[in-house]
Amino acid sequence: MQGGCVLLLLGLWLQLSLGLVPVEEEDPAFWNRQAAQALDVAKKLQPIQTAAKNVILFLGDGECTRLVHPLSSHNPGALGCQLTQAGPRDSDLTQGVPSGMGVSTVTAARILKGQMAGKPGPETPLAMDQFPYLALSKTYNVDRNVPDSAGTTTAYLCGVKTRMKVIGVSAAARYNQCNTTYGNEVTSVMNRAKKAGKSVGVVTTTRVQHASPAGAYAHTVNRNWYSDAQMPAQAKREGCQDIATQLVYNMDIDVILGGGRKYMFPEGTPDPEYPQYGRQNGVRKDKRNLVQEWQAKHQEGCHGPPTPIPSLQFTTRPISTGLFEPGDMVYDIFRDHTTDPSLEEMTEAALLVLSRNPRGFFLFVEGGRIDHGHHESIAYRALTEAVMFDNAIAKASQLTSEADTLTLVTADHSHVFTFGGYPLRGTSIFGLADGKAEDGGSYTSLLYGNGPGFRLYWGSRPDVDETESMDPNYKQQAAVPLGSETHGGEDVAVFARGPWAYLMHGVQEQTFVAHVMAFAACVEPYTTDCNPKPPSGPSDAAHQAACLSSLALLVGVLLQLLVPALH
Ligand SMILES: [Zn+2]
């Protein structure tokens, strides 16, 4: 999606439909008929109580970064049996907390997606809206009312709440104290699914060593220990390992797609895509090349040359790995469509590989840059990422069967992002609220409680017009000045579809997410009261047909990604 095109579309829609009320909505019969249809669907809902062969967890989240404006460069990647260096521009990491997709983000993204389709917006359902079951998840860390991504990933992936900034360890561990790791490790559902014979994968738009995906495979008392370069000497002496090393050695992950090359290569190794930018060089102080180590570790699974297509088609043990950026992947609106995979494309590629295992799979998919847009107080970036996240959910729903695949969509936490001001129906989601504020100025419907959008001109809040608010780089105003907008503390939604999805109900601790996944899939600790196997046949056949239909597209994308890397 090109930002300019979207802006134009939204602008046109704004002109055409300001204050629009669809005429059919004036008739009570419209609403009665619609509600009757929804009631009919609800009455026919049948809980699925057979085991989930497959589990997919979609997470709207991310790590705190400061955006460096992207360059328009190519982006080689790596797939198949080879973990190759590749990647375009990157973001600067800033220390601090990460964040996610709260309910206000879901609502605003729904309106944006509807408006991109030429509709007024709020009436048009997202893919995640069509999941039949819903719960609220309490996101707090044991030591913070408002959480970070490290403590929360431990909750929803390992099933145990813990402290802020630590991953895969219980609250008995202490931040930054390496020796408190040992004996306090907690294990993810993904790890347990692997032990049960399922294939497993991690897909993210952030670096794969980032807190949220790291919860699937790592144990660390400091979420920022991406490589040994970020670790203190004492932690190394005490035997703690950086997250990138754990990615390769803690467990065997069949699909790894995202960013994060720089943490895999020795310090000073030029990035193949940005050799001119020293900031993108490898950073490892121990001189290890984890890509080579990964390749050696997986040699037995690779057949033929290091090209993706043979491995996808012919290996008995399919694996697919690609790191497309030195750090996080770029915002979708800045993506080079000819060389950079979208989250939807990566999800599709992952499903193609993972679904070959007759014992099923566990897939974690993170739309990690929704969070980054919010931290920057640029709602355009957050919401366009949320729409792309929903597109990936739609693709996965299309490629899997509700009969044998439990799919959950949630966030690790919310943001201080609000949507208000009585805007007229049909107004662009990036438009103005109805009426003036008490200071005489206009204000946008989207605002932040705190963040870099805070501004004062001559002691007053600056006015804003539609030209300004519709700019893709516009920072929505904030009440409190902060360099980075913060996470929000309210509950987040969990959307659920598939076997045992109906267990997602009411208000739950975030740990419930992990336990429902483990129970539904009959993995530890729920192996003894295991559920009946799912029906076989039609769903698998439909799945394979869907995958085959998408193969041509995937081959095209993967080849494009590989070509630069092979030179
Ligand atoms: Zn964040």
Side-chain angles (χ1 to χ4, degrees):
M1 175 184 61
Q2 295 298 319
C5 292
V6 173
L7 193 61
L8 178 63
L9 181 65
L10 295 177
L12 288 172
W13 184 251
L14 185 71
Q15 296 298 317
L16 292 172
S17 62
L18 192 64
L20 170 74
V21 176
V23 65
E24 65 271 20
E25 294 185 13
E26 296 183 0
D27 182 355
F30 170 84
W31 297 106
N32 292 332
R33 187 168 56 247
Q34 185 187 70
Q37 288 169 351
L39 189 61
D40 200 39
V41 169
K43 287 191 297 185
K44 290 177 180 170
L45 272 180
Q46 291 289 333
I48 302 173
Q49 296 180 315
T50 48
K53 176 184 173 186
N54 312 310
V55 176
I56 308 175
L57 176 59
F58 279 96
L59 185 87
D61 172 65
E63 166 80 20
C64 296
T65 57
R66 183 189 302 122
L67 181 80
V68 173
H69 196 280
L71 311 168
S72 179
S73 64
H74 73 285
N75 184 10
L79 264 295
C81 288
Q82 190 179 30
L83 217 181
T84 308
Q85 314 174 41
R89 54 272 155 178
D90 183 30
S91 299
D92 254 348
L93 174 70
T94 60
Q95 302 301 312
V97 285
S99 104
M101 180 187 68
V103 171
S104 57
T105 300
V106 173
T107 307
R110 177 186 303 131
I111 294 174
L112 173 59
K113 192 169 182 179
Q115 293 184 340
M116 289 166 67
K119 298 173 181 171
E123 71 296 319
T124 307
L126 292 165
M128 68 182 92
D129 293 344
Q130 296 167 41
F131 284 27
Y133 301 101
L134 193 75
L136 287 180
S137 164
K138 296 157 66 177
T139 64
Y140 67 95
N141 295 150
V142 298
D143 57 344
R144 305 270 181 158
N145 284 348
V146 179
D148 84 332
S149 288
T152 53
T153 191
T154 309
Y156 63 77
L157 278 174
C158 303
V160 175
K161 284 224 179 198
T162 191
R163 299 171 186 276
M164 182 183 258
K165 297 184 183 179
V166 305
I167 298 167
V169 292
S170 72
R174 295 292 182 270
Y175 172 70
N176 217 33
Q177 295 180 32
C178 167
N179 62 0
T180 67
T181 308
Y182 309 118
N184 293 319
E185 297 94 338
V186 290
T187 307
S188 75
V189 175
M190 186 173 99
N191 192 308
R192 291 177 247 157
K194 183 71 183 182
K195 286 176 183 163
K198 296 182 186 298
S199 293
V200 299
V202 169
V203 172
T204 180
T205 49
T206 66
R207 63 204 73 189
V208 296
Q209 304 87 355
H210 155 247
S212 302
Y217 61 85
H219 310 281
T220 180
V221 290
N222 187 329
R223 54 172 295 165
N224 293 315
W225 290 353
Y226 298 115
S227 78
D228 68 322
Q230 287 80 39
M231 294 177 66
Q234 183 179 351
K236 294 181 200 173
R237 280 197 303 274
E238 290 175 356
C240 280
Q241 289 193 314
D242 61 273
I243 298 171
T245 300
Q246 295 190 50
L247 171 71
V248 176
Y249 288 101
N250 274 14
M251 60 178 293
D252 207 4
I253 306 175
D254 303 280
V255 173
I256 304 170
L257 297 173
R261 282 196 301 269
K262 66 168 72 169
Y263 308 110
M264 309 296 281
F265 293 98
E267 185 176 24
T269 307
D271 187 86
E273 189 174 5
Y274 309 105
Q276 70 275 36
Y277 297 111
R279 198 168 54 82
Q280 311 293 14
N281 289 353
V283 298
R284 299 196 66 84
K285 302 277 188 192
D286 59 11
K287 308 299 182 191
R288 290 171 68 178
N289 182 328
L290 290 178
V291 169
Q292 280 182 0
E293 293 183 29
W294 186 92
Q295 286 173 312
K297 187 168 177 272
H298 293 85
Q299 202 62 44
E300 80 285 0
C302 299
H303 294 191
T307 55
I309 305 313
S311 68
L312 283 177
Q313 291 183 325
F314 301 123
T315 55
T316 53
R317 183 172 160 276
I319 50 177
S320 176
T321 305
L323 301 181
F324 304 100
E325 293 286 341
D328 298 327
M329 296 182 73
V330 299
Y331 284 112
D332 198 88
I333 53 173
F334 300 132
R335 184 168 61 87
D336 182 335
H337 287 230
T338 62
T339 55
D340 295 353
S342 67
L343 185 63
E344 179 182 351
E345 288 164 342
M346 291 194 293
T347 302
E348 188 173 13
L351 289 172
L352 184 64
V353 172
L354 296 175
S355 62
R356 293 164 58 99
N357 185 338
R359 301 179 75 170
F361 63 81
F362 177 96
L363 174 63
F364 175 78
V365 180
E366 183 194 24
R369 306 219 60 191
I370 300 166
D371 179 61
H372 300 175
H374 281 323
H375 282 304
E376 294 180 277
S377 289
I378 301 178
Y380 186 89
R381 292 178 184 170
L383 297 185
T384 49
E385 287 294 310
V387 169
M388 294 306 130
F389 180 64
D390 192 63
N391 290 346
I393 295 164
K395 177 60 71 177
S397 297
Q398 179 191 338
L399 294 178
T400 57
S401 166
E402 189 172 10
D404 65 7
T405 303
L406 171 65
T407 306
L408 302 179
V409 178
T410 190
D412 46 358
H413 50 73
S414 186
H415 276 266
V416 291
F417 169 70
T418 68
F419 170 40
Y422 310 109
L424 296 171
R425 181 85 174 273
T427 302
S428 164
I429 189 62
F430 302 111
L432 301 180
D434 187 28
K436 301 286 186 183
E438 291 193 354
D439 58 11
S442 298
Y443 64 105
T444 54
S445 176
L446 303 179
L447 292 167
Y448 289 94
N450 59 45
F454 176 88
R455 273 162 288 173
L456 284 179
Y457 291 152
W458 303 102
S460 299
R461 184 184 69 91
D463 200 1
V464 55
D465 61 25
E466 279 163 357
T467 304
E468 191 181 2
S469 75
M470 298 288 283
D471 187 314
N473 294 311
Y474 177 70
K475 290 181 191 295
Q476 277 72 20
Q477 293 178 359
V480 174
L482 288 180
S484 177
E485 177 259 13
T486 74
H487 297 168
E490 76 272 19
D491 302 344
V492 296
V494 187
F495 303 79
R497 168 190 190 261
W500 299 98
Y502 74 97
L503 298 180
M504 276 300 163
H505 77 113
V507 181
Q508 305 288 350
E509 293 286 359
Q510 195 165 38
T511 50
F512 190 60
V513 172
H515 285 262
V516 167
M517 293 191 297
F519 173 74
C522 294
V523 303
E524 293 175 4
Y526 301 105
T527 52
T528 52
D529 55 347
C530 200
N531 312 301
K533 288 190 174 179
S536 60
S539 63
D540 288 347
H543 181 192
Q544 284 178 10
C547 283
L548 286 174
S549 71
S550 63
L551 186 60
L553 168 68
L554 278 171
V555 168
V557 170
L558 300 185
L559 278 177
Q560 286 174 338
L561 291 170
L562 261 199
V563 166
L566 294 175
H567 285 290

